[in-house]
Amino acid sequence: MISKTMTEAINKQINREFFSAYLYLAMANDATDKGFKGVANWFNVQFKEEQSHALKFAHYLQEQNAKVTLSTIDQPTLAWGDVTSMFKEALSHEKKVTAWINEIADLALIEKDHATQNMLKWFIDEQIEEEGNVTDILWMLDMCGTSKSALYLADKKLAKRE
Ligand code: FEO
């Protein structure tokens, strides 16, 4: 059994993961509106990943006989100036998520909650990967500069994500 404080912290994180999903779905929709089908595909895959993160936390609570409490998901931004702005916001959002996961890890350490510490290892590794992936895309977009043909090829590359 985990503490009430830890249950609340994980429930809060479930909401944040669903918000992340919602944010990336909004980016996918805006990318579609802008004609970037590859970018839309990348964010749609990310949308599903974020839902799976929320469910992973929820299943952990249930395994610990703690209650999953779903709460209101904030409305995300709905449109961006260009696709680079989307990935910039995605990176700063992921940095926030990393900080939140670290806060829960700190709490687990204080509470000597070894089970939660162990569960969080997966998320700590995942955050390194998520920040790294978005950083790589930002480098690629930076290299495209103002070349429309380079942007077209970058979009084709992002269409391959499954
Ligand atoms: Fe679930 Fe992108 O962190």
Side-chain angles (χ1 to χ4, degrees):
M1 187 74 182
I2 58 174
S3 75
K4 192 169 170 285
T5 313
M6 182 57 79
T7 303
E8 280 168 8
I10 294 177
N11 269 313
K12 210 168 178 180
Q13 188 60 29
I14 289 171
N15 181 274
R16 289 161 173 163
E17 298 290 348
F18 277 127
F19 174 78
S20 303
Y22 221 33
L23 175 67
Y24 297 141
L25 181 61
M27 288 178 178
N29 291 341
D30 191 35
T32 300
D33 293 345
K34 287 175 166 54
F36 284 86
K37 287 187 181 166
V39 173
N41 171 66
W42 196 93
F43 279 117
N44 269 318
V45 174
Q46 195 59 33
F47 161 66
K48 289 179 196 145
E49 266 206 20
E50 297 301 346
Q51 289 178 85
S52 76
H53 294 170
L55 290 178
K56 208 172 170 78
F57 276 118
H59 291 154
Y60 175 71
L61 283 184
Q62 288 167 334
E63 273 171 6
Q64 291 279 7
N65 286 323
K67 191 161 173 53
V68 175
T69 309
L70 298 178
S71 48
T72 310
I73 304 166
D74 289 340
Q75 184 183 39
T77 303
L78 300 176
W80 288 262
D82 53 31
V83 293
T84 301
S85 312
M86 289 179 200
F87 284 103
K88 279 185 180 164
E89 185 171 336
L91 181 59
S92 74
H93 181 70
E94 286 306 322
K95 285 182 176 173
K96 272 194 271 176
V97 175
T98 300
W100 288 325
I101 301 268
N102 286 341
E103 277 174 23
I104 305 172
D106 289 345
L107 177 65
L109 218 57
I110 292 165
E111 293 191 348
K112 296 188 171 58
D113 178 348
H114 298 289
T116 302
Q117 282 176 42
N118 204 37
M119 180 274 291
L120 286 172
K121 277 187 190 139
W122 184 90
F123 283 98
I124 290 165
D125 289 342
E126 177 72 3
Q127 282 312 116
I128 295 170
E129 195 185 310
E130 298 230 320
E131 286 188 30
N133 290 343
V134 181
T135 302
D136 287 349
I137 293 169
L138 280 167
W139 275 112
M140 178 174 71
L141 292 174
D142 187 56
M143 281 187 267
C144 292
T146 53
S147 162
K148 284 195 174 173
S149 52
L151 263 181
Y152 176 79
L153 291 174
D155 190 58
K156 283 271 175 230
K157 187 175 158 65
L158 295 173
K160 294 201 173 98
R161 186 181 185 195
E162 287 174 354

PDB file of all heavy atoms in Angstrom, residues 13 16-18 20-21 24 46 49-54 57 90 93-94 97-98 101 122-123 126-127 130-131, ligand 1:
ATOM      1  N   GLN A  13      -0.158  13.291 -11.609  1.00  0.00           N
ATOM      2  CA  GLN A  13       0.662  12.972 -12.780  1.00  0.00           C
ATOM      3  C   GLN A  13      -0.185  12.318 -13.881  1.00  0.00           C
ATOM      4  O   GLN A  13       0.046  12.564 -15.072  1.00  0.00           O
ATOM      5  CB  GLN A  13       1.840  12.076 -12.377  1.00  0.00           C
ATOM      6  CG  GLN A  13       2.849  11.849 -13.496  1.00  0.00           C
ATOM      7  CD  GLN A  13       3.476  13.165 -14.003  1.00  0.00           C
ATOM      8  OE1 GLN A  13       3.601  14.138 -13.265  1.00  0.00           O
ATOM      9  NE2 GLN A  13       3.849  13.189 -15.275  1.00  0.00           N
ATOM     10  N   ARG A  16      -1.652  15.030 -15.743  1.00  0.00           N
ATOM     11  CA  ARG A  16      -0.638  15.709 -16.579  1.00  0.00           C
ATOM     12  C   ARG A  16      -0.316  14.894 -17.823  1.00  0.00           C
ATOM     13  O   ARG A  16      -0.055  15.461 -18.888  1.00  0.00           O
ATOM     14  CB  ARG A  16       0.642  15.929 -15.772  1.00  0.00           C
ATOM     15  CG  ARG A  16       0.489  16.994 -14.709  1.00  0.00           C
ATOM     16  CD  ARG A  16       1.576  16.838 -13.689  1.00  0.00           C
ATOM     17  NE  ARG A  16       1.607  17.916 -12.724  1.00  0.00           N
ATOM     18  CZ  ARG A  16       2.237  17.848 -11.559  1.00  0.00           C
ATOM     19  NH1 ARG A  16       2.888  16.748 -11.225  1.00  0.00           N
ATOM     20  NH2 ARG A  16       2.236  18.872 -10.746  1.00  0.00           N
ATOM     21  N   GLU A  17      -0.307  13.574 -17.696  1.00  0.00           N
ATOM     22  CA  GLU A  17      -0.039  12.723 -18.863  1.00  0.00           C
ATOM     23  C   GLU A  17      -1.200  12.832 -19.860  1.00  0.00           C
ATOM     24  O   GLU A  17      -0.984  12.896 -21.065  1.00  0.00           O
ATOM     25  CB  GLU A  17       0.170  11.258 -18.440  1.00  0.00           C
ATOM     26  CG  GLU A  17       1.355  11.027 -17.517  1.00  0.00           C
ATOM     27  CD  GLU A  17       2.726  11.197 -18.177  1.00  0.00           C
ATOM     28  OE1 GLU A  17       2.814  11.280 -19.422  1.00  0.00           O
ATOM     29  OE2 GLU A  17       3.722  11.264 -17.433  1.00  0.00           O
ATOM     30  N   PHE A  18      -2.425  12.875 -19.330  1.00  0.00           N
ATOM     31  CA  PHE A  18      -3.573  13.049 -20.240  1.00  0.00           C
ATOM     32  C   PHE A  18      -3.530  14.442 -20.875  1.00  0.00           C
ATOM     33  O   PHE A  18      -3.885  14.602 -22.037  1.00  0.00           O
ATOM     34  CB  PHE A  18      -4.903  12.812 -19.514  1.00  0.00           C
ATOM     35  CG  PHE A  18      -5.272  11.353 -19.415  1.00  0.00           C
ATOM     36  CD1 PHE A  18      -5.584  10.776 -18.189  1.00  0.00           C
ATOM     37  CD2 PHE A  18      -5.318  10.543 -20.541  1.00  0.00           C
ATOM     38  CE1 PHE A  18      -5.921   9.427 -18.095  1.00  0.00           C
ATOM     39  CE2 PHE A  18      -5.654   9.197 -20.458  1.00  0.00           C
ATOM     40  CZ  PHE A  18      -5.955   8.634 -19.227  1.00  0.00           C
ATOM     41  N   SER A  20      -0.815  16.029 -21.579  1.00  0.00           N
ATOM     42  CA  SER A  20       0.238  15.906 -22.606  1.00  0.00           C
ATOM     43  C   SER A  20      -0.366  15.289 -23.872  1.00  0.00           C
ATOM     44  O   SER A  20      -0.103  15.752 -24.987  1.00  0.00           O
ATOM     45  CB  SER A  20       1.381  15.011 -22.115  1.00  0.00           C
ATOM     46  OG  SER A  20       1.921  15.497 -20.915  1.00  0.00           O
ATOM     47  N   ALA A  21      -1.171  14.238 -23.688  1.00  0.00           N
ATOM     48  CA  ALA A  21      -1.826  13.591 -24.838  1.00  0.00           C
ATOM     49  C   ALA A  21      -2.679  14.608 -25.592  1.00  0.00           C
ATOM     50  O   ALA A  21      -2.624  14.708 -26.822  1.00  0.00           O
ATOM     51  CB  ALA A  21      -2.690  12.426 -24.350  1.00  0.00           C
ATOM     52  N   TYR A  24      -0.582  17.124 -27.534  1.00  0.00           N
ATOM     53  CA  TYR A  24       0.005  16.589 -28.772  1.00  0.00           C
ATOM     54  C   TYR A  24      -1.072  16.293 -29.809  1.00  0.00           C
ATOM     55  O   TYR A  24      -0.813  16.401 -31.016  1.00  0.00           O
ATOM     56  CB  TYR A  24       0.875  15.357 -28.453  1.00  0.00           C
ATOM     57  CG  TYR A  24       2.053  15.734 -27.571  1.00  0.00           C
ATOM     58  CD1 TYR A  24       2.496  14.923 -26.545  1.00  0.00           C
ATOM     59  CD2 TYR A  24       2.723  16.943 -27.764  1.00  0.00           C
ATOM     60  CE1 TYR A  24       3.564  15.297 -25.733  1.00  0.00           C
ATOM     61  CE2 TYR A  24       3.786  17.336 -26.956  1.00  0.00           C
ATOM     62  CZ  TYR A  24       4.193  16.506 -25.940  1.00  0.00           C
ATOM     63  OH  TYR A  24       5.247  16.889 -25.140  1.00  0.00           O
ATOM     64  N   GLN A  46       2.592  10.285 -30.625  1.00  0.00           N
ATOM     65  CA  GLN A  46       2.929  10.797 -29.289  1.00  0.00           C
ATOM     66  C   GLN A  46       1.673  10.896 -28.409  1.00  0.00           C
ATOM     67  O   GLN A  46       1.718  10.613 -27.210  1.00  0.00           O
ATOM     68  CB  GLN A  46       3.624  12.160 -29.417  1.00  0.00           C
ATOM     69  CG  GLN A  46       4.339  12.607 -28.160  1.00  0.00           C
ATOM     70  CD  GLN A  46       5.419  11.633 -27.698  1.00  0.00           C
ATOM     71  OE1 GLN A  46       6.058  10.981 -28.524  1.00  0.00           O
ATOM     72  NE2 GLN A  46       5.594  11.518 -26.398  1.00  0.00           N
ATOM     73  N   GLU A  49       1.132   7.569 -27.069  1.00  0.00           N
ATOM     74  CA  GLU A  49       2.150   7.245 -26.053  1.00  0.00           C
ATOM     75  C   GLU A  49       1.805   7.868 -24.707  1.00  0.00           C
ATOM     76  O   GLU A  49       1.950   7.256 -23.662  1.00  0.00           O
ATOM     77  CB  GLU A  49       3.532   7.759 -26.486  1.00  0.00           C
ATOM     78  CG  GLU A  49       4.323   6.707 -27.208  1.00  0.00           C
ATOM     79  CD  GLU A  49       5.826   6.903 -27.100  1.00  0.00           C
ATOM     80  OE1 GLU A  49       6.312   7.603 -26.207  1.00  0.00           O
ATOM     81  OE2 GLU A  49       6.504   6.332 -27.960  1.00  0.00           O
ATOM     82  N   GLU A  50       1.351   9.122 -24.757  1.00  0.00           N
ATOM     83  CA  GLU A  50       1.025   9.819 -23.498  1.00  0.00           C
ATOM     84  C   GLU A  50      -0.152   9.153 -22.791  1.00  0.00           C
ATOM     85  O   GLU A  50      -0.165   9.067 -21.558  1.00  0.00           O
ATOM     86  CB  GLU A  50       0.741  11.302 -23.756  1.00  0.00           C
ATOM     87  CG  GLU A  50       1.916  12.075 -24.313  1.00  0.00           C
ATOM     88  CD  GLU A  50       3.159  12.070 -23.428  1.00  0.00           C
ATOM     89  OE1 GLU A  50       3.069  11.697 -22.256  1.00  0.00           O
ATOM     90  OE2 GLU A  50       4.227  12.427 -23.941  1.00  0.00           O
ATOM     91  N   GLN A  51      -1.118   8.676 -23.582  1.00  0.00           N
ATOM     92  CA  GLN A  51      -2.236   7.956 -22.954  1.00  0.00           C
ATOM     93  C   GLN A  51      -1.722   6.690 -22.284  1.00  0.00           C
ATOM     94  O   GLN A  51      -2.184   6.315 -21.200  1.00  0.00           O
ATOM     95  CB  GLN A  51      -3.281   7.593 -24.008  1.00  0.00           C
ATOM     96  CG  GLN A  51      -4.042   8.794 -24.531  1.00  0.00           C
ATOM     97  CD  GLN A  51      -5.025   8.367 -25.598  1.00  0.00           C
ATOM     98  OE1 GLN A  51      -6.134   7.968 -25.300  1.00  0.00           O
ATOM     99  NE2 GLN A  51      -4.590   8.428 -26.835  1.00  0.00           N
ATOM    100  N   SER A  52      -0.760   6.028 -22.937  1.00  0.00           N
ATOM    101  CA  SER A  52      -0.227   4.798 -22.335  1.00  0.00           C
ATOM    102  C   SER A  52       0.551   5.121 -21.058  1.00  0.00           C
ATOM    103  O   SER A  52       0.528   4.331 -20.108  1.00  0.00           O
ATOM    104  CB  SER A  52       0.625   4.015 -23.340  1.00  0.00           C
ATOM    105  OG  SER A  52       1.886   4.613 -23.501  1.00  0.00           O
ATOM    106  N   HIS A  53       1.192   6.308 -20.998  1.00  0.00           N
ATOM    107  CA  HIS A  53       1.877   6.696 -19.754  1.00  0.00           C
ATOM    108  C   HIS A  53       0.850   6.871 -18.626  1.00  0.00           C
ATOM    109  O   HIS A  53       1.062   6.422 -17.498  1.00  0.00           O
ATOM    110  CB  HIS A  53       2.639   8.014 -19.934  1.00  0.00           C
ATOM    111  CG  HIS A  53       3.783   7.922 -20.909  1.00  0.00           C
ATOM    112  ND1 HIS A  53       4.466   9.013 -21.356  1.00  0.00           N
ATOM    113  CD2 HIS A  53       4.348   6.838 -21.515  1.00  0.00           C
ATOM    114  CE1 HIS A  53       5.413   8.613 -22.198  1.00  0.00           C
ATOM    115  NE2 HIS A  53       5.351   7.308 -22.317  1.00  0.00           N
ATOM    116  N   ALA A  54      -0.255   7.556 -18.954  1.00  0.00           N
ATOM    117  CA  ALA A  54      -1.305   7.777 -17.941  1.00  0.00           C
ATOM    118  C   ALA A  54      -1.824   6.433 -17.430  1.00  0.00           C
ATOM    119  O   ALA A  54      -1.991   6.233 -16.220  1.00  0.00           O
ATOM    120  CB  ALA A  54      -2.444   8.597 -18.539  1.00  0.00           C
ATOM    121  N   PHE A  57       0.598   4.629 -15.030  1.00  0.00           N
ATOM    122  CA  PHE A  57       0.490   5.151 -13.658  1.00  0.00           C
ATOM    123  C   PHE A  57      -0.804   4.658 -12.997  1.00  0.00           C
ATOM    124  O   PHE A  57      -0.807   4.289 -11.818  1.00  0.00           O
ATOM    125  CB  PHE A  57       0.498   6.683 -13.665  1.00  0.00           C
ATOM    126  CG  PHE A  57       1.875   7.291 -13.709  1.00  0.00           C
ATOM    127  CD1 PHE A  57       2.274   8.080 -14.774  1.00  0.00           C
ATOM    128  CD2 PHE A  57       2.775   7.087 -12.675  1.00  0.00           C
ATOM    129  CE1 PHE A  57       3.546   8.650 -14.820  1.00  0.00           C
ATOM    130  CE2 PHE A  57       4.055   7.649 -12.695  1.00  0.00           C
ATOM    131  CZ  PHE A  57       4.439   8.435 -13.774  1.00  0.00           C
ATOM    132  N   ALA A  90       6.808  21.466 -27.375  1.00  0.00           N
ATOM    133  CA  ALA A  90       6.848  20.051 -26.940  1.00  0.00           C
ATOM    134  C   ALA A  90       8.083  19.826 -26.059  1.00  0.00           C
ATOM    135  O   ALA A  90       7.988  19.168 -25.016  1.00  0.00           O
ATOM    136  CB  ALA A  90       6.870  19.119 -28.147  1.00  0.00           C
ATOM    137  N   HIS A  93       7.596  21.477 -22.722  1.00  0.00           N
ATOM    138  CA  HIS A  93       6.602  20.707 -21.962  1.00  0.00           C
ATOM    139  C   HIS A  93       7.239  19.434 -21.389  1.00  0.00           C
ATOM    140  O   HIS A  93       7.032  19.110 -20.217  1.00  0.00           O
ATOM    141  CB  HIS A  93       5.401  20.362 -22.849  1.00  0.00           C
ATOM    142  CG  HIS A  93       4.352  19.594 -22.116  1.00  0.00           C
ATOM    143  ND1 HIS A  93       3.568  20.164 -21.127  1.00  0.00           N
ATOM    144  CD2 HIS A  93       3.993  18.291 -22.175  1.00  0.00           C
ATOM    145  CE1 HIS A  93       2.766  19.235 -20.633  1.00  0.00           C
ATOM    146  NE2 HIS A  93       3.004  18.097 -21.240  1.00  0.00           N
ATOM    147  N   GLU A  94       8.013  18.733 -22.208  1.00  0.00           N
ATOM    148  CA  GLU A  94       8.646  17.500 -21.727  1.00  0.00           C
ATOM    149  C   GLU A  94       9.622  17.782 -20.578  1.00  0.00           C
ATOM    150  O   GLU A  94       9.776  16.962 -19.678  1.00  0.00           O
ATOM    151  CB  GLU A  94       9.354  16.767 -22.866  1.00  0.00           C
ATOM    152  CG  GLU A  94       8.402  16.060 -23.825  1.00  0.00           C
ATOM    153  CD  GLU A  94       7.436  15.105 -23.139  1.00  0.00           C
ATOM    154  OE1 GLU A  94       7.819  14.423 -22.172  1.00  0.00           O
ATOM    155  OE2 GLU A  94       6.269  15.060 -23.561  1.00  0.00           O
ATOM    156  N   VAL A  97       7.559  17.891 -17.601  1.00  0.00           N
ATOM    157  CA  VAL A  97       7.159  16.531 -17.204  1.00  0.00           C
ATOM    158  C   VAL A  97       8.310  15.847 -16.466  1.00  0.00           C
ATOM    159  O   VAL A  97       8.107  15.204 -15.429  1.00  0.00           O
ATOM    160  CB  VAL A  97       6.710  15.694 -18.434  1.00  0.00           C
ATOM    161  CG1 VAL A  97       6.424  14.246 -18.040  1.00  0.00           C
ATOM    162  CG2 VAL A  97       5.469  16.309 -19.091  1.00  0.00           C
ATOM    163  N   THR A  98       9.530  16.019 -16.989  1.00  0.00           N
ATOM    164  CA  THR A  98      10.704  15.425 -16.331  1.00  0.00           C
ATOM    165  C   THR A  98      10.815  15.948 -14.889  1.00  0.00           C
ATOM    166  O   THR A  98      11.041  15.171 -13.950  1.00  0.00           O
ATOM    167  CB  THR A  98      11.994  15.777 -17.120  1.00  0.00           C
ATOM    168  OG1 THR A  98      11.849  15.258 -18.441  1.00  0.00           O
ATOM    169  CG2 THR A  98      13.235  15.194 -16.472  1.00  0.00           C
ATOM    170  N   ILE A 101       8.171  14.284 -12.717  1.00  0.00           N
ATOM    171  CA  ILE A 101       8.527  12.887 -12.410  1.00  0.00           C
ATOM    172  C   ILE A 101       9.627  12.885 -11.327  1.00  0.00           C
ATOM    173  O   ILE A 101       9.582  12.089 -10.380  1.00  0.00           O
ATOM    174  CB  ILE A 101       9.051  12.155 -13.674  1.00  0.00           C
ATOM    175  CG1 ILE A 101       8.004  12.155 -14.792  1.00  0.00           C
ATOM    176  CG2 ILE A 101       9.582  10.746 -13.343  1.00  0.00           C
ATOM    177  CD1 ILE A 101       7.067  11.008 -14.871  1.00  0.00           C
ATOM    178  N   TRP A 122      11.357   3.439 -14.998  1.00  0.00           N
ATOM    179  CA  TRP A 122      10.938   3.366 -16.409  1.00  0.00           C
ATOM    180  C   TRP A 122      10.647   4.777 -16.927  1.00  0.00           C
ATOM    181  O   TRP A 122      11.056   5.146 -18.030  1.00  0.00           O
ATOM    182  CB  TRP A 122       9.694   2.467 -16.547  1.00  0.00           C
ATOM    183  CG  TRP A 122       9.294   2.277 -17.978  1.00  0.00           C
ATOM    184  CD1 TRP A 122       9.718   1.284 -18.814  1.00  0.00           C
ATOM    185  CD2 TRP A 122       8.414   3.120 -18.753  1.00  0.00           C
ATOM    186  NE1 TRP A 122       9.162   1.465 -20.065  1.00  0.00           N
ATOM    187  CE2 TRP A 122       8.364   2.573 -20.051  1.00  0.00           C
ATOM    188  CE3 TRP A 122       7.678   4.278 -18.487  1.00  0.00           C
ATOM    189  CZ2 TRP A 122       7.595   3.133 -21.082  1.00  0.00           C
ATOM    190  CZ3 TRP A 122       6.928   4.842 -19.499  1.00  0.00           C
ATOM    191  CH2 TRP A 122       6.883   4.277 -20.782  1.00  0.00           C
ATOM    192  N   PHE A 123       9.950   5.582 -16.126  1.00  0.00           N
ATOM    193  CA  PHE A 123       9.579   6.940 -16.562  1.00  0.00           C
ATOM    194  C   PHE A 123      10.802   7.860 -16.641  1.00  0.00           C
ATOM    195  O   PHE A 123      10.867   8.723 -17.507  1.00  0.00           O
ATOM    196  CB  PHE A 123       8.517   7.525 -15.611  1.00  0.00           C
ATOM    197  CG  PHE A 123       7.145   6.972 -15.871  1.00  0.00           C
ATOM    198  CD1 PHE A 123       6.638   5.933 -15.115  1.00  0.00           C
ATOM    199  CD2 PHE A 123       6.349   7.491 -16.896  1.00  0.00           C
ATOM    200  CE1 PHE A 123       5.379   5.414 -15.366  1.00  0.00           C
ATOM    201  CE2 PHE A 123       5.088   6.972 -17.151  1.00  0.00           C
ATOM    202  CZ  PHE A 123       4.600   5.931 -16.382  1.00  0.00           C
ATOM    203  N   GLU A 126      12.398   7.013 -19.817  1.00  0.00           N
ATOM    204  CA  GLU A 126      11.508   7.450 -20.909  1.00  0.00           C
ATOM    205  C   GLU A 126      11.657   8.961 -21.159  1.00  0.00           C
ATOM    206  O   GLU A 126      11.662   9.423 -22.295  1.00  0.00           O
ATOM    207  CB  GLU A 126      10.054   7.101 -20.544  1.00  0.00           C
ATOM    208  CG  GLU A 126       8.998   7.547 -21.546  1.00  0.00           C
ATOM    209  CD  GLU A 126       8.996   6.738 -22.840  1.00  0.00           C
ATOM    210  OE1 GLU A 126       9.770   5.780 -22.953  1.00  0.00           O
ATOM    211  OE2 GLU A 126       8.224   7.113 -23.739  1.00  0.00           O
ATOM    212  N   GLN A 127      11.788   9.729 -20.074  1.00  0.00           N
ATOM    213  CA  GLN A 127      11.911  11.189 -20.227  1.00  0.00           C
ATOM    214  C   GLN A 127      13.208  11.567 -20.945  1.00  0.00           C
ATOM    215  O   GLN A 127      13.227  12.508 -21.738  1.00  0.00           O
ATOM    216  CB  GLN A 127      11.817  11.886 -18.869  1.00  0.00           C
ATOM    217  CG  GLN A 127      10.396  12.016 -18.341  1.00  0.00           C
ATOM    218  CD  GLN A 127       9.412  12.550 -19.364  1.00  0.00           C
ATOM    219  OE1 GLN A 127       8.486  11.860 -19.758  1.00  0.00           O
ATOM    220  NE2 GLN A 127       9.608  13.771 -19.838  1.00  0.00           N
ATOM    221  N   GLU A 130      12.384  10.935 -24.529  1.00  0.00           N
ATOM    222  CA  GLU A 130      11.423  11.896 -25.092  1.00  0.00           C
ATOM    223  C   GLU A 130      12.085  13.248 -25.363  1.00  0.00           C
ATOM    224  O   GLU A 130      11.897  13.830 -26.431  1.00  0.00           O
ATOM    225  CB  GLU A 130      10.230  12.083 -24.141  1.00  0.00           C
ATOM    226  CG  GLU A 130       9.467  10.792 -23.950  1.00  0.00           C
ATOM    227  CD  GLU A 130       7.972  10.932 -24.143  1.00  0.00           C
ATOM    228  OE1 GLU A 130       7.409  11.943 -23.706  1.00  0.00           O
ATOM    229  OE2 GLU A 130       7.377  10.027 -24.736  1.00  0.00           O
ATOM    230  N   GLU A 131      12.852  13.738 -24.404  1.00  0.00           N
ATOM    231  CA  GLU A 131      13.534  15.028 -24.617  1.00  0.00           C
ATOM    232  C   GLU A 131      14.528  14.911 -25.773  1.00  0.00           C
ATOM    233  O   GLU A 131      14.658  15.820 -26.592  1.00  0.00           O
ATOM    234  CB  GLU A 131      14.251  15.474 -23.339  1.00  0.00           C
ATOM    235  CG  GLU A 131      13.306  15.989 -22.277  1.00  0.00           C
ATOM    236  CD  GLU A 131      14.045  16.621 -21.092  1.00  0.00           C
ATOM    237  OE1 GLU A 131      15.139  17.166 -21.284  1.00  0.00           O
ATOM    238  OE2 GLU A 131      13.513  16.548 -19.971  1.00  0.00           O
TER     239      GLU A 131
HETATM  240 FE1  FEO B   1       4.547  11.143 -20.691  1.00  0.00          FE
HETATM  241 FE2  FEO B   1       5.965  12.857 -22.749  1.00  0.00          FE
HETATM  242  O1  FEO B   1       5.858  12.277 -21.011  1.00  0.00           O
END
